[in-house]
């Protein structure tokens, strides 16, 4: 039987409207600004890859998406609801709708792999234990872990197995949104591709929305519908956008901006000199001259 027109329109809006909106978000920690005026909108079932060099704020952006870091300006909306208008309890409720695959698997060291994967089910649902066992079994199979891994502690697994266990735990509550922080870092190319395949499989299953933070261009090319590249603020002029690229993987390959080519081609350029200069600047500001005139300030280098 066809649904009434109004119901159909509302359902369509929900299905096609953005799942996540980042609206002019800035984040600072004390005097350090990490994100400046970031805006982006992520649609249902879309896979957005966030690229950018170490320290540019990728993890902070992911944490802001789930309300673990509060923006100093702007707002995050999940399914149209502003996180800043929700109580802590409501934000915690929203967080159960996300799967978060942390940078490093962030498993509980003292728990077995089984208990790690079962954790969200036991914490957030009343599913009977017999069913929890079935779900964990299915999740192990889904990420390609043997049943024998279930009884082991994280320390007894390889890095690739830990990443897959982290993914299984993130998928336990069948979240509509999965966030991945550096899912392939530290893995060999074959294991990295296994993880890329899993990300694709999860995103194709039931229209899961995915946000993938990575340095890995293979991951970006393989899984992204859209790529966003962030740039570290300290290397930008105050009026420059921190999002230096937004487009498809093919558009990224065609982009001639030297900042993007340097990252995509993995060239250090003059980064080594820049890093040394940054460290020297930091050391000079950190070391105030002492009362007896010693310390960096005593070097006489005022520049
Ligand atoms: N809780 C915090 N308190 C203070 N500073 C923080 C905090 N979290 C992150 N930062 C700072 O924010 C900046 C960006 O950190 P972030 O972890 O987002 O970088 P990243 O792009 O994920 O880097 P990487 O690729 O190395 O993981 C860094 O300078 C970091 O020191
Ligand atoms: Mg990070």
């Amino acid at each position: 039987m066809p649904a009434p027109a109004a119901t159909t329109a509302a359902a369509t809006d929900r299905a096609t409207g953005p799942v996540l909106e980042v609206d002019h978000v800035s984040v600072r920690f004390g005097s350090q600004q990490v994100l400046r005026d970031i805006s982006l909108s992520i649609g249902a079932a879309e896979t957005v890859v966030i690229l950018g060099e170490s320290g540019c704020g990728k993890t902070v952006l992911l944490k802001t998406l789930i309300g673990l870091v509060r923006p100093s300006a702007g707002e995050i909306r999940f399914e149209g609801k502003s996180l800043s208008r929700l109580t802590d309890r409501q934000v915690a409720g929203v967080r159960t709708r996300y799967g978060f695959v942390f940078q490093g698997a962030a498993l509980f060291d003292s728990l077995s792999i089984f208990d790690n994967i079962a954790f969200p089910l036991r914490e957030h649902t009343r599913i009977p234990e017999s069913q929890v066992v079935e779900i964990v079994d299915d999740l192990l199979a889904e990420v390609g872990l043997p049943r024998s891994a279930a009884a082991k502690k994280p320390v007894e697994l390889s890095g690739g197995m830990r990443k897959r266990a982290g993914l299984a735990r993130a998928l336990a509550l069948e979240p509509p949104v999965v966030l991945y922080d550096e899912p392939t870092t530290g893995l060999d190319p074959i294991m990295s591709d296994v993880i890329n395949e899993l990300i694709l499989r999860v995103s194709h299953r039931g229209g899961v929305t995915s946000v993938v933070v990575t340095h890995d261009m293979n991951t970006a090319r393989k899984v992204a519908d859209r790529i966003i590249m962030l740039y570290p603020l300290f290397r930008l002029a105050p009026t420059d956008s921190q999002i230096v690229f937004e487009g498809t993987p093919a558009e990224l390959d065609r982009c001639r901006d030297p900042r993007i080519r340097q990252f995509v081609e993995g060239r250090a350029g003059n980064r080594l000199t820049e890093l040394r200069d940054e460290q020297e600047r930091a050391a000079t500001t950190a070391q105030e001259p002492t009362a007896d005139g010693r310390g960096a300030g005593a070097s006489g280098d005022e520049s």
Side-chain angles (χ1 to χ4, degrees):
M1 194 173 65
T7 315
T8 312
T12 309
D13 278 347
R14 265 201 308 279
T16 56
V19 172
L20 273 168
E21 290 162 278
V22 179
D23 191 357
H24 296 288
V25 161
S26 298
V27 171
R28 53 167 64 246
F29 296 105
S31 61
Q32 185 193 6
Q33 181 153 28
V34 177
L35 298 177
R36 183 181 70 207
D37 199 25
I38 302 283
S39 290
L40 70 117
S41 173
I42 303 174
E46 194 182 11
T47 298
V48 171
V49 164
I50 298 173
L51 288 177
E53 69 180 70
S54 202
C56 70
K58 305 180 299 297
T59 298
V60 168
L61 178 57
L62 278 191
K63 287 183 176 170
T64 312
L65 291 180
I66 57 174
L68 285 176
V69 167
R70 296 225 174 221
S72 44
E75 66 173 20
I76 303 287
R77 288 188 291 277
F78 175 71
E79 293 179 341
K81 288 188 286 290
S82 168
L83 295 191
S84 59
R85 293 198 193 145
L86 302 180
T87 61
D88 286 348
R89 205 189 152 115
Q90 286 169 320
V91 172
V94 167
R95 222 173 273 147
T96 65
R97 319 238 1 247
Y98 290 91
F100 201 120
V101 182
F102 289 89
Q103 188 165 5
L107 297 166
F108 300 112
D109 291 337
S110 59
L111 299 184
S112 68
I113 295 301
F114 180 92
D115 288 334
N116 263 284
I117 299 173
F119 188 85
L121 296 163
R122 291 171 174 159
E123 188 77 4
H124 297 292
T125 75
R126 288 162 191 250
I127 294 173
E129 197 54 27
S130 58
Q131 226 178 313
V132 169
V133 172
E134 275 174 38
I135 296 172
V136 173
D137 261 1
D138 289 348
L139 286 164
L140 284 168
E142 187 169 359
V143 299
L145 282 174
R147 290 178 110 189
S148 58
K152 296 192 169 159
K153 295 276 172 62
V155 71
E156 298 173 84
L157 301 188
S158 72
M161 292 169 95
R162 278 200 293 271
K163 294 252 187 196
R164 281 179 284 151
L167 176 57
R169 186 179 61 184
L171 299 179
L173 296 174
E174 298 190 353
V177 182
V178 183
L179 309 180
Y180 301 84
D181 197 356
E182 305 284 4
T184 62
T185 300
L187 303 181
D188 69 55
I190 296 170
M191 187 48 68
S192 296
D193 208 46
V194 166
I195 299 284
N196 295 339
E197 292 284 345
L198 283 171
I199 295 172
L200 274 179
R201 204 188 306 169
V202 168
S203 74
H204 291 160
R205 190 191 57 185
V208 167
T209 303
S210 313
V211 184
V212 185
V213 158
T214 187
H215 298 108
D216 183 338
M217 288 308 301
N218 290 329
T219 299
R221 289 200 176 90
K222 185 152 186 167
V223 307
D225 294 316
R226 185 156 51 109
I227 294 175
I228 308 272
M229 189 165 146
L230 289 183
Y231 213 59
L233 272 186
F234 71 87
R235 300 221 267 131
L236 288 170
T239 49
D240 288 343
S241 168
Q242 195 176 3
I243 296 180
V244 290
F245 173 83
E246 181 164 5
T248 62
E251 284 165 345
L252 184 77
D253 286 332
R254 287 198 297 272
C255 180
R256 306 289 4 129
D257 182 330
R259 298 172 299 187
I260 287 139
R261 294 263 53 88
Q262 182 184 8
F263 186 88
V264 170
E265 290 159 14
R267 284 183 284 108
N270 60 357
R271 263 320 261 143
L272 197 56
T273 321
E274 282 181 359
L275 284 169
R276 192 201 56 208
D277 290 349
E278 273 160 38
Q279 273 156 16
E280 271 177 12
R281 260 201 310 277
T284 313
T285 12
Q287 293 181 20
E288 297 287 341
T290 56
D292 60 3
R294 283 183 297 165
S299 71
D301 182 0
E302 299 290 316
S303 62

